[in-house]
Amino acid sequence: MNNKRMILITAILFVTYNVVVFVIPSALSISFWVAYAFSVVSFGLLFFLWMDFFKKGRKIISKFYRIPILYVSCCYAFIQIVVSIVFKFMKGAPTWTAILTCAILLAATLIGLISIDGATEYVETLDSKIKPKVNYIKTLQVESELLLSSLKDENAKRAVGTLIEKIKYSDPMSDSSLSNLEERIKDGVESLKATEEKDIENNIDSILLLIEERNKKCKLLK
């Protein structure tokens, strides 16, 4: 669904809600009008969050992380609608009960939304930091697998197979202090493409030592 459809659905729900509360005959007390005002706020909040969800340039993963925010806002709108209908038919309900009930409901919702938004931002920030580090290992593995598929010499194939296994089970995380070492490993793997097959086995030994050094330093930095 895109933002236009969700805006249309929200508008239809709002109109339907108004039809229900105003067509059914009943005296409209101040308590009802208070609850109704909060219901309008709940639809406004839902509308705003849908607009934010479909904001131009927002990535799919970012939308996925924000689904709980939409879920909470939808639940709030539903509960607030029920509360307003209850106060419509609750004769003689003190105005302060409607104010207190709706205010607490709104406050709980806002606290929940702020908490979820904070957690979402943290996860997105963490994901943006982890992704490049994980991609480093994946890139090395793909490069090595492509090299393996092009080899004919059995000794070279075994050596590259060992390299792939070493890379596969290497620590996926990294640290800025390891950038120089990781660059040497990357250059070493790339240089294998231009290496004679008979010399690959010897060249891989030095790369394996570098990977082992990297993995040990990764453990120390944790």
Side-chain angles (χ1 to χ4, degrees), residues 24-215:
I24 298 175
S26 178
L28 302 179
S29 64
I30 296 177
S31 295
F32 162 75
W33 284 113
V34 169
Y36 176 79
F38 276 93
S39 297
V40 173
V41 171
S42 72
F43 275 101
L45 180 62
L46 185 58
F47 174 82
F48 171 78
L49 291 175
W50 275 120
M51 292 293 291
D52 180 69
F53 183 79
F54 288 106
K55 184 169 64 177
K56 186 177 180 181
R58 189 177 293 286
K59 297 180 181 179
I60 296 297
I61 188 66
S62 179
K63 291 181 179 179
F64 176 77
Y65 288 146
R66 279 172 167 72
I67 289 177
I69 292 177
L70 292 177
Y71 176 77
V72 170
S73 63
C74 288
C75 288
Y76 167 59
F78 175 77
I79 295 172
Q80 183 58 57
I81 288 171
V82 172
V83 169
S84 68
I85 293 174
V86 169
F87 277 106
K88 175 181 172 64
F89 296 103
M90 188 181 290
K91 306 300 182 182
T95 303
W96 66 266
T97 59
I99 296 173
L100 186 62
T101 301
C102 295
I104 291 175
L105 183 57
L106 177 59
T109 300
L110 292 177
I111 291 172
L113 291 175
I114 292 171
S115 300
I116 295 172
D117 185 61
T120 298
E121 286 186 4
Y122 174 76
V123 171
E124 288 181 333
T125 302
L126 189 64
D127 186 62
S128 66
K129 292 180 179 179
I130 291 176
K131 191 174 180 180
K133 298 173 182 179
V134 174
N135 283 345
Y136 170 76
I137 293 297
K138 289 183 178 180
T139 300
L140 287 182
Q141 187 173 343
V142 170
E143 292 290 336
S144 301
E145 289 173 348
L146 290 173
L147 174 63
L148 178 63
S149 65
S150 66
L151 297 175
K152 296 180 181 179
D153 184 82
E154 291 301 321
N155 290 330
K157 285 184 176 181
R158 280 194 296 271
V160 173
T162 301
L163 176 63
I164 292 172
E165 286 298 306
K166 192 72 172 178
I167 293 172
K168 182 178 180 181
Y169 295 106
S170 291
D171 196 317
M173 296 305 294
S174 185
D175 188 89
S176 57
S177 62
L178 301 176
S179 58
N180 183 52
L181 179 58
E182 291 178 339
E183 192 63 30
R184 289 166 61 192
I185 295 171
K186 181 181 177 182
D187 291 342
V189 172
E190 290 180 349
S191 68
L192 294 175
K193 299 175 184 178
T195 304
E196 293 287 337
E197 290 192 17
K198 60 184 179 64
D199 298 324
I200 285 180
E201 189 173 5
N202 292 330
N203 291 358
I204 282 179
D205 288 338
S206 60
I207 299 174
L208 292 175
L209 289 174
L210 291 173
I211 294 174
E212 184 65 27
E213 181 183 349
R214 175 192 175 275
N215 290 339

